[in-house]
Amino acid sequence: MDEFRFGSVEVSFGHPTPLFRYMFERYRHRKYMGEWSDLTSCRILGAHPDDVELVLLNAFNKYEERHDVLPQPSEILEFDWVAWEASDEEETEEEEEEEGAVFDPAIPSDVEPLRCFFYAKSAADPAAACIQFYRVLEFYAFLSLTRSLSALRRDANVSDREFLFKSAQLLSKDEQSSIVRLVVELSTKELLDFAAGEGLITRSDRSLLGSSLYQFRNSIVHAKQDQRAPVTVDSIIGSSSTTKAWKRVLQQLAQKALGKHSSVRHLT
């Protein structure tokens, strides 16, 4: 069983409990869902109902960090399936070795980018995953702009005239500039070396990585032949190595953005 703690909230992954099996046995179709021993359930203790999704998304991330597998929620449909006779043989469950619990006093609480991060890691198509990771960066690039405006507004040394001028400068900057600034802040030497080695950029330069990333995003979002960036549409019989490389870059940047800029919630 895997156990993760976020403040006073406990999340554990393991086989369904006897109570769970009793409650949902009538809805389980063995032909499609398999035996209970083949299924994994998630138990959340101590969380407010409004925080369940937030806790679950963070627990999924922790589980993937430990096992390199992202859990996927599935729905037990509320249908009365044809009754199946249970086997007379008693099921014997192997004893499971419990790994040490992971404890985090606080968790990222911006649920929108957490959802994008989850959908990105769940996407089968690398290009679709890139878009969702990019949405995480967009979210925090915009928040960075609002923080800059807030700091400017509270600066007592800035006159009214200077405030209007500097605000106009911030607001006139295009989307690319905001993304590039965030990429410059989050990029590591290892990430730059990887991008250069994969041919995504011509040299290890943070600003160049941000500009190239923005151009790649345009190439998979837009399909206009007259745009500056070429249209990127991967083959149906094998995705591009370039797209896969960008996916890796974007995932690392999105993860760092969540870790550095997300609001946090202390669960008590």
Side-chain angles (χ1 to χ4, degrees):
M1 182 173 69
D2 291 279
E3 182 178 306
F4 305 96
R5 295 180 183 273
F6 307 110
S8 61
V9 176
E10 175 187 310
V11 183
S12 57
F13 294 87
H15 289 312
T17 63
L19 177 60
F20 185 98
R21 299 183 189 194
Y22 174 78
M23 292 175 62
F24 291 98
E25 176 61 30
R26 63 181 300 201
Y27 305 123
R28 179 179 65 100
H29 195 261
R30 186 177 299 167
K31 179 179 178 181
Y32 300 108
M33 298 180 180
E35 301 295 336
W36 283 118
S37 57
D38 299 326
L39 302 178
T40 300
S41 66
C42 175
R43 181 180 64 183
I44 301 176
L45 296 176
H48 188 278
D50 292 342
D51 294 333
V52 167
E53 182 186 15
L54 182 65
V55 170
L56 195 61
L57 287 168
N58 281 278
F60 281 177
N61 288 336
K62 292 296 183 182
Y63 187 95
E64 186 190 29
E65 289 176 8
R66 175 179 287 182
H67 297 291
D68 200 26
V69 174
L70 181 67
Q72 296 289 331
S74 60
E75 185 177 357
I76 297 180
L77 302 177
E78 295 187 357
F79 292 116
D80 284 326
W81 297 102
V82 177
W84 292 77
E85 292 184 2
S87 171
D88 293 332
E89 299 179 1
E90 294 184 359
E91 295 182 359
T92 58
E93 297 183 0
E94 298 181 358
E95 294 185 0
E96 301 176 12
E97 182 178 347
E98 182 175 346
E99 297 190 40
V102 174
F103 178 78
D104 282 321
I107 59 174
S109 60
D110 295 332
V111 70
E112 293 86 357
L114 279 170
R115 287 170 180 163
C116 292
F117 195 69
F118 173 79
Y119 289 136
K121 293 189 293 183
S122 304
D125 175 28
C130 286
I131 291 299
Q132 293 292 348
F133 285 134
Y134 185 87
R135 293 181 71 190
V136 177
L137 298 182
E138 270 188 324
F139 184 90
Y140 290 110
F142 174 76
L143 286 187
S144 177
L145 175 62
T146 61
R147 282 194 293 268
S148 297
L149 285 171
S150 179
L152 184 63
R153 183 166 56 87
R154 289 174 171 79
D155 190 345
N157 297 319
V158 176
S159 66
D160 292 344
R161 181 182 179 83
E162 289 176 318
F163 175 76
L164 290 174
F165 178 72
K166 292 183 178 181
S167 296
Q169 279 187 318
L170 286 171
L171 295 174
S172 64
K173 290 182 178 179
D174 56 14
E175 176 190 3
Q176 180 176 349
S177 299
S178 300
I179 292 295
V180 170
R181 280 201 310 273
L182 185 61
V183 171
V184 167
E185 176 192 346
L186 300 175
S187 298
T188 62
K189 182 180 183 301
E190 292 75 17
L191 187 61
L192 291 172
D193 290 343
F194 169 79
E198 292 292 324
L200 305 182
I201 51 178
T202 56
R203 63 184 186 280
S204 295
D205 180 88
R206 288 177 168 81
S207 294
L208 180 59
L209 179 63
S211 299
S212 299
L213 186 152
Y214 183 77
Q215 291 174 5
F216 171 73
R217 173 262 186 190
N218 288 342
S219 74
I220 57 178
V221 169
H222 303 299
K224 297 179 294 183
Q225 290 293 347
D226 60 344
Q227 65 178 10
R228 295 180 180 179
V231 176
T232 298
V233 182
D234 289 343
S235 168
I236 64 171
I237 58 175
S239 59
S240 164
S241 59
T242 299
T243 303
K244 290 180 179 178
W246 274 119
K247 176 185 174 184
R248 179 172 170 179
V249 169
L250 279 158
Q251 179 169 355
Q252 290 192 32
L253 290 172
Q255 188 165 358
K256 285 185 175 296
L258 280 166
K260 188 169 184 178
H261 292 294
S262 176
S263 304
V264 295
R265 177 85 60 82
H266 291 79
L267 300 174
T268 58

